[in-house]
Amino acid sequence: MRYAYQTIIYGLRIGPEDGFLETVLKQISEAGFTGVEFAQSLDNIFLREAQPVESLQQLLEMTESYDLVVTGIAGGTFDQRVEAIKSVKSWGNREIPYVYVDNWNEKYGKYVDDIFKLVIHPHVYKNCDRISKVEALLGKHENLCWMPDIAHLAIVGDDLELALTKWPEKMIAVHLKDWDPSSGSSYHRYARGFVGLGRGAVRYKVALEILNKQDFRGWVVVEQDYCDGKIEDCIRHAALSLGILPEGVQITGCPERKKYPCPDDLFNEILRAGMQGLRSCYEAFIRILTKYFEANDVEIWSYDPSTGYSCRLIQENEAELTIEDSLVNKATENSKVFRQEGDLCFPVLNRFNRSHVRFVVVVRSVGNDCDDEIIGAIAEALARAADIGLDDACSRAAGRVHFAADTSNGLDEFLKHLKSCIKSSIQCEGVTIFLADRLRTKLEVHESTGIKWREDIVDNQKFYRWDETKFSTVKAWRSGQPLLRHGEFNVNGRAKSREHGDGVRSEVDNILFVPLVNNGKRDEIAWKSEITGLIRCRNKQKKNLLFSVDDAAIVDTICQAAGPHLELLIAYQDRRMSVARIIHELGSPVNSMSHAISSFSRDIKSLMQNENNEFRFDYTKDINMLLDLMKRIVKSVNIYGLTKPELELQIRSVWFMGDVVAPLVNLIRYVIEERGFDPGKISYDNFHSIPKLYIDTSLFQQVMFNLLSNSIKYSFKDKSLFEIRVSAEREKDYYVISVEDKGPGIFPDFEEGIFEEGQRGPESINKVVFGLGIGLSVVQRIVEAHGGFVRVTKNYDPTTISIFLPISLSNRLPRSVKGSVKVVQMKGVR
């Protein structure tokens, strides 16, 4: 493979602070790299003081003198780069650099078949951040090329192995970089997680192995967005990590960094402002800049180019609420200083990723204008000071989360503290904490300052489903990244739910979404982010002030701090629930055994008084069967989540009616007698249609016991409603066993929910029904282990739950479709 180094680590320009272009090329060549990808525009690559390179032709010739190839050009506007390539009169044997884009524009499509290679490159917070979006473009443009970035794809939780193997014929380069997830994924802070190879969560060596296996002939470009030490040390570390550093070679060092041209007193005043706290520092910036530029007014705008979201960071209560400014848009288009009719606007860039804007400063009616170099130095000082303020706010918020975890008694109490921490940290009106269910199909409310659901949403639908993509809450959940939304003025209530809160309501419905992410899972190459929940905040408390990207960073830090605590508290709650599940499952056979023993005792007393020496029932057989059922429940403890998720099956060929259902008749009799029902109201039908099946007898006795017990339980002691029918039939490729009852029924859209742990029918809330809602989840687990499934086939009159078992069970062992299953015993299996 061929290795290149990307020059983004040198910043926006290659200038005197880097020793100019010659020093940069020396460093990259000495480290053993054979290519260089330029991240700066040509007018920001300097040969010496005030002398940028004249053309791409000159850059190519100088690069060749150090035995390096210009692999690609990534700096400057797209049009500037295209023009530079077309200005080269003769390429000869040279390799034509690729031009990569990370924010796709339809106008780029006409360049796909040009002389250079147009490359799509995934980038967080750009419109091509995921494989799915790239795939659509590659499918549309046949000659468009592909350049995966293993760190950016890791941040969004994409499949990196897929990215490196899906389009080998289109992949001409790979960005090799590492990322530490501890910095979070918010817009302002994620880039500080980019670290040297091997120092983060991305296994770059596995990526290289994958590329080697497919004999990748393109460029592997090492990229590190910023340097917290000496640049030559970063380049040396990258070369050592790849094993390409020539033995005994010392890498040329950069000169001492040039002092900022910002006046010392102004620079120090700005930095001191950053130590006053986040909101206070922006207020101080306005005072300092108003004085320095002799301006009528100074505005500071938060800006997110990925969504076009913008808002003022400081807004007076009486000021008119504005969410867009033409100067802000113009200054952010090219990340450059912009002047218009006496006004000045300049972007303050993210110090850790120069392609992102930190915020934008608008100076109205400038009285003291200065050159772009001084403005750039002021912007750098503002970025440093703002980061100090933001880091302090994030640190304080994280500290409150840790303290809350230490002092909370359980998950519910911790979530209450977490809600309060979020509300106070960003001064918002309303907060709701959603947690995803075990299957990651629903977002459910676990804590809120107050939430109002749309009037047409019934109680059992008060959650968000993964497929409800029309709602912003679900879009944010699926994105896995903090998201800001300007709502509509005079909102008409189309949202599914919204938060209540105290304070003055803003003119605009403003929402901040931040995912709760668990980074604890790892695939072959990187951490796999698992979205375990979502924080939704609504409206700032201060009138006409909107959420900013800073607020997103603070809440993201809170989520990062809360993640490990939530994981432990949820695990602790799960362990408690696991014990409760076992108790629940043991409850029915224990009660039945108790009734059997009571009846046994009465018969013994009767025997002692009468000459008839026969018992009414075979109590010994009943009690032994119940004991076997209880032993199996205990032995199968893994079904309830206490041990490894492996289910042991003891398979033999049995008649479903004779070996599973019939032995339960006497056991169910005890439950029926306790309720005062008539056992004759249970009927069994058409089981002759089912041949012998290879199943676990005792586990299916547990299945049928749960279904029949539920039917009895939900009759609510109303004798007129008690009627149960157990039937069998063959339907296409399945044998179907159904249990019907005359209970209260199952609400529409709740047919799948009742099989989740802890869920019961909505009607049970208002009835005296004991239990934890665990039985049907166990039924589902056992049936799926045999290759089948369970469904609600009729909601009401009669309520019908059906078990579908593949007909193949009549002649072979089950093939499980879900979960880990181990066959530990086989009887009668040929």
Side-chain angles (χ1 to χ4, degrees), residues 653-683:
S653 180
V654 299
W655 294 104
F656 201 92
M657 183 64 195
D659 297 310
V660 175
V661 179
L664 288 174
V665 173
N666 288 334
L667 303 185
I668 295 297
R669 183 189 70 244
Y670 300 121
V671 181
I672 294 171
E673 289 178 349
E674 179 190 14
R675 296 288 180 112
F677 297 149
D678 179 6
K681 291 292 187 73
I682 300 180
S683 60

Short mmCIF file of all heavy atoms in Angstrom, two decimals, residues 653-683:
data_model
loop_
_atom_site.label_atom_id
_atom_site.label_comp_id
_atom_site.label_asym_id
_atom_site.label_seq_id
_atom_site.Cartn_x
_atom_site.Cartn_y
_atom_site.Cartn_z
N SER A 653 -39.50 -36.63 20.92
CA SER A 653 -40.65 -36.65 20.05
C SER A 653 -41.91 -36.93 20.88
O SER A 653 -42.02 -37.98 21.52
CB SER A 653 -40.47 -37.74 18.98
OG SER A 653 -41.58 -37.77 18.12
N VAL A 654 -42.86 -35.97 20.90
CA VAL A 654 -44.02 -36.08 21.78
C VAL A 654 -45.28 -35.66 21.06
O VAL A 654 -45.25 -34.95 20.05
CB VAL A 654 -43.85 -35.20 23.04
CG1 VAL A 654 -42.62 -35.62 23.85
CG2 VAL A 654 -43.73 -33.71 22.67
N TRP A 655 -46.42 -36.11 21.61
CA TRP A 655 -47.74 -35.64 21.17
C TRP A 655 -48.05 -34.36 21.93
O TRP A 655 -47.96 -34.32 23.15
CB TRP A 655 -48.82 -36.69 21.45
CG TRP A 655 -48.66 -37.95 20.66
CD1 TRP A 655 -48.19 -39.13 21.11
CD2 TRP A 655 -48.99 -38.14 19.29
NE1 TRP A 655 -48.18 -40.07 20.12
CE2 TRP A 655 -48.69 -39.49 18.97
CE3 TRP A 655 -49.53 -37.31 18.29
CZ2 TRP A 655 -48.88 -40.01 17.70
CZ3 TRP A 655 -49.73 -37.84 17.02
CH2 TRP A 655 -49.41 -39.16 16.73
N PHE A 656 -48.40 -33.30 21.21
CA PHE A 656 -48.62 -32.02 21.88
C PHE A 656 -49.80 -32.11 22.85
O PHE A 656 -49.72 -31.59 23.97
CB PHE A 656 -48.88 -30.91 20.86
CG PHE A 656 -48.61 -29.54 21.39
CD1 PHE A 656 -47.37 -28.95 21.26
CD2 PHE A 656 -49.59 -28.82 22.08
CE1 PHE A 656 -47.11 -27.68 21.78
CE2 PHE A 656 -49.34 -27.57 22.59
CZ PHE A 656 -48.08 -27.00 22.45
N MET A 657 -50.88 -32.77 22.45
CA MET A 657 -52.03 -32.88 23.34
C MET A 657 -51.76 -33.84 24.48
O MET A 657 -51.94 -33.50 25.66
CB MET A 657 -53.27 -33.34 22.55
CG MET A 657 -54.54 -33.39 23.41
SD MET A 657 -55.02 -31.75 24.01
CE MET A 657 -56.18 -32.18 25.30
N GLY A 658 -51.29 -35.02 24.14
CA GLY A 658 -51.14 -36.05 25.17
C GLY A 658 -50.01 -35.81 26.14
O GLY A 658 -50.14 -36.12 27.34
N ASP A 659 -48.90 -35.22 25.65
CA ASP A 659 -47.72 -35.07 26.51
C ASP A 659 -47.55 -33.66 27.06
O ASP A 659 -46.81 -33.46 28.03
CB ASP A 659 -46.46 -35.46 25.74
CG ASP A 659 -46.46 -36.92 25.32
OD1 ASP A 659 -46.70 -37.77 26.19
OD2 ASP A 659 -46.23 -37.19 24.13
N VAL A 660 -48.16 -32.66 26.44
CA VAL A 660 -48.00 -31.27 26.90
C VAL A 660 -49.29 -30.75 27.53
O VAL A 660 -49.31 -30.34 28.70
CB VAL A 660 -47.57 -30.35 25.74
CG1 VAL A 660 -47.51 -28.89 26.22
CG2 VAL A 660 -46.22 -30.76 25.19
N VAL A 661 -50.40 -30.76 26.77
CA VAL A 661 -51.63 -30.12 27.22
C VAL A 661 -52.36 -30.95 28.27
O VAL A 661 -52.72 -30.44 29.35
CB VAL A 661 -52.57 -29.83 26.03
CG1 VAL A 661 -53.87 -29.19 26.53
CG2 VAL A 661 -51.89 -28.91 25.03
N ALA A 662 -52.56 -32.25 27.99
CA ALA A 662 -53.35 -33.09 28.90
C ALA A 662 -52.81 -33.12 30.32
O ALA A 662 -53.59 -33.00 31.28
CB ALA A 662 -53.47 -34.50 28.32
N PRO A 663 -51.48 -33.27 30.52
CA PRO A 663 -50.97 -33.28 31.90
C PRO A 663 -51.24 -31.98 32.65
O PRO A 663 -51.20 -31.95 33.88
CB PRO A 663 -49.47 -33.51 31.72
CG PRO A 663 -49.33 -34.19 30.41
CD PRO A 663 -50.41 -33.58 29.56
N LEU A 664 -51.49 -30.87 31.89
CA LEU A 664 -51.73 -29.58 32.56
C LEU A 664 -53.18 -29.45 33.03
O LEU A 664 -53.49 -28.56 33.82
CB LEU A 664 -51.42 -28.43 31.61
CG LEU A 664 -49.94 -28.17 31.29
CD1 LEU A 664 -49.82 -27.10 30.23
CD2 LEU A 664 -49.19 -27.75 32.55
N VAL A 665 -54.07 -30.32 32.52
CA VAL A 665 -55.49 -30.16 32.82
C VAL A 665 -55.73 -30.18 34.33
O VAL A 665 -56.42 -29.30 34.88
CB VAL A 665 -56.32 -31.26 32.13
CG1 VAL A 665 -57.78 -31.18 32.59
CG2 VAL A 665 -56.23 -31.11 30.62
N ASN A 666 -55.14 -31.17 35.01
CA ASN A 666 -55.33 -31.25 36.45
C ASN A 666 -54.69 -30.08 37.18
O ASN A 666 -55.20 -29.61 38.20
CB ASN A 666 -54.78 -32.58 37.00
CG ASN A 666 -55.66 -33.76 36.61
OD1 ASN A 666 -56.86 -33.60 36.37
ND2 ASN A 666 -55.08 -34.94 36.55
N LEU A 667 -53.54 -29.65 36.67
CA LEU A 667 -52.87 -28.52 37.33
C LEU A 667 -53.72 -27.25 37.22
O LEU A 667 -53.85 -26.48 38.17
CB LEU A 667 -51.49 -28.28 36.71
CG LEU A 667 -50.52 -29.47 36.71
CD1 LEU A 667 -49.17 -29.02 36.17
CD2 LEU A 667 -50.36 -30.04 38.11
N ILE A 668 -54.27 -27.01 36.02
CA ILE A 668 -55.10 -25.83 35.81
C ILE A 668 -56.38 -25.92 36.66
O ILE A 668 -56.93 -24.91 37.09
CB ILE A 668 -55.45 -25.69 34.32
CG1 ILE A 668 -54.19 -25.42 33.50
CG2 ILE A 668 -56.47 -24.59 34.10
CD1 ILE A 668 -53.51 -24.12 33.86
N ARG A 669 -56.81 -27.15 36.94
CA ARG A 669 -58.02 -27.33 37.73
C ARG A 669 -57.92 -26.63 39.07
O ARG A 669 -58.89 -26.01 39.54
CB ARG A 669 -58.25 -28.84 37.96
CG ARG A 669 -59.55 -29.14 38.71
CD ARG A 669 -59.62 -30.61 39.10
NE ARG A 669 -58.66 -30.91 40.15
CZ ARG A 669 -57.64 -31.75 40.00
NH1 ARG A 669 -57.44 -32.36 38.85
NH2 ARG A 669 -56.80 -31.99 41.01
N TYR A 670 -56.74 -26.67 39.70
CA TYR A 670 -56.60 -26.04 41.01
C TYR A 670 -56.78 -24.52 40.92
O TYR A 670 -57.39 -23.89 41.79
CB TYR A 670 -55.23 -26.36 41.60
CG TYR A 670 -54.99 -27.84 41.80
CD1 TYR A 670 -53.92 -28.48 41.18
CD2 TYR A 670 -55.83 -28.60 42.62
CE1 TYR A 670 -53.71 -29.83 41.36
CE2 TYR A 670 -55.62 -29.95 42.80
CZ TYR A 670 -54.55 -30.58 42.17
OH TYR A 670 -54.35 -31.91 42.35
N VAL A 671 -56.22 -23.90 39.85
CA VAL A 671 -56.37 -22.46 39.67
C VAL A 671 -57.83 -22.12 39.41
O VAL A 671 -58.38 -21.13 39.92
CB VAL A 671 -55.49 -21.97 38.50
CG1 VAL A 671 -55.63 -20.47 38.31
CG2 VAL A 671 -54.04 -22.35 38.74
N ILE A 672 -58.51 -22.94 38.60
CA ILE A 672 -59.93 -22.71 38.28
C ILE A 672 -60.78 -22.79 39.54
O ILE A 672 -61.67 -21.94 39.77
CB ILE A 672 -60.40 -23.73 37.23
CG1 ILE A 672 -59.66 -23.49 35.91
CG2 ILE A 672 -61.90 -23.63 37.01
CD1 ILE A 672 -59.90 -24.58 34.88
N GLU A 673 -60.55 -23.81 40.35
CA GLU A 673 -61.33 -23.98 41.58
C GLU A 673 -61.14 -22.80 42.52
O GLU A 673 -62.06 -22.36 43.20
CB GLU A 673 -60.95 -25.29 42.26
CG GLU A 673 -61.44 -26.53 41.51
CD GLU A 673 -61.01 -27.81 42.19
OE1 GLU A 673 -60.16 -27.74 43.12
OE2 GLU A 673 -61.49 -28.88 41.79
N GLU A 674 -59.90 -22.28 42.57
CA GLU A 674 -59.63 -21.13 43.44
C GLU A 674 -60.48 -19.92 43.03
O GLU A 674 -60.96 -19.17 43.87
CB GLU A 674 -58.14 -20.76 43.34
CG GLU A 674 -57.76 -19.55 44.20
CD GLU A 674 -56.36 -19.07 43.92
OE1 GLU A 674 -55.78 -19.48 42.90
OE2 GLU A 674 -55.85 -18.28 44.72
N ARG A 675 -60.70 -19.73 41.70
CA ARG A 675 -61.50 -18.61 41.21
C ARG A 675 -63.00 -18.90 41.24
O ARG A 675 -63.79 -18.00 41.01
CB ARG A 675 -61.09 -18.28 39.76
CG ARG A 675 -59.66 -17.79 39.60
CD ARG A 675 -59.52 -16.38 40.14
NE ARG A 675 -58.17 -15.88 39.99
CZ ARG A 675 -57.81 -14.89 39.19
NH1 ARG A 675 -58.73 -14.30 38.47
NH2 ARG A 675 -56.58 -14.49 39.12
N GLY A 676 -63.38 -20.13 41.48
CA GLY A 676 -64.79 -20.48 41.49
C GLY A 676 -65.39 -20.65 40.11
O GLY A 676 -66.60 -20.48 39.92
N PHE A 677 -64.54 -20.97 39.13
CA PHE A 677 -65.01 -21.15 37.77
C PHE A 677 -65.34 -22.62 37.51
O PHE A 677 -64.94 -23.51 38.25
CB PHE A 677 -63.95 -20.68 36.76
CG PHE A 677 -63.65 -19.21 36.83
CD1 PHE A 677 -62.38 -18.72 36.51
CD2 PHE A 677 -64.61 -18.30 37.21
CE1 PHE A 677 -62.10 -17.39 36.56
CE2 PHE A 677 -64.34 -16.95 37.26
CZ PHE A 677 -63.08 -16.49 36.94
N ASP A 678 -66.00 -22.84 36.39
CA ASP A 678 -66.40 -24.19 35.99
C ASP A 678 -65.33 -24.78 35.07
O ASP A 678 -65.12 -24.27 33.95
CB ASP A 678 -67.75 -24.13 35.26
CG ASP A 678 -68.20 -25.51 34.80
OD1 ASP A 678 -67.54 -26.52 35.15
OD2 ASP A 678 -69.23 -25.57 34.09
N PRO A 679 -64.62 -25.85 35.49
CA PRO A 679 -63.59 -26.46 34.63
C PRO A 679 -64.14 -26.95 33.30
O PRO A 679 -63.39 -27.07 32.32
CB PRO A 679 -63.06 -27.62 35.47
CG PRO A 679 -63.42 -27.27 36.87
CD PRO A 679 -64.71 -26.52 36.79
N GLY A 680 -65.45 -27.20 33.24
CA GLY A 680 -66.04 -27.67 32.00
C GLY A 680 -66.08 -26.61 30.91
O GLY A 680 -66.39 -26.92 29.75
N LYS A 681 -65.76 -25.32 31.26
CA LYS A 681 -65.76 -24.25 30.27
C LYS A 681 -64.44 -24.19 29.49
O LYS A 681 -64.23 -23.26 28.71
CB LYS A 681 -65.99 -22.90 30.96
CG LYS A 681 -67.41 -22.74 31.51
CD LYS A 681 -68.41 -22.64 30.35
CE LYS A 681 -69.81 -22.29 30.87
NZ LYS A 681 -69.93 -20.93 31.30
N ILE A 682 -63.53 -25.14 29.75
CA ILE A 682 -62.30 -25.22 28.97
C ILE A 682 -62.48 -26.35 27.96
O ILE A 682 -62.75 -27.50 28.34
CB ILE A 682 -61.06 -25.50 29.84
CG1 ILE A 682 -60.88 -24.39 30.88
CG2 ILE A 682 -59.82 -25.58 28.97
CD1 ILE A 682 -59.68 -24.59 31.77
N SER A 683 -62.30 -26.06 26.68
CA SER A 683 -62.46 -27.07 25.64
C SER A 683 -61.17 -27.20 24.83
O SER A 683 -60.40 -26.24 24.71
CB SER A 683 -63.61 -26.70 24.71
OG SER A 683 -63.38 -25.45 24.09
#
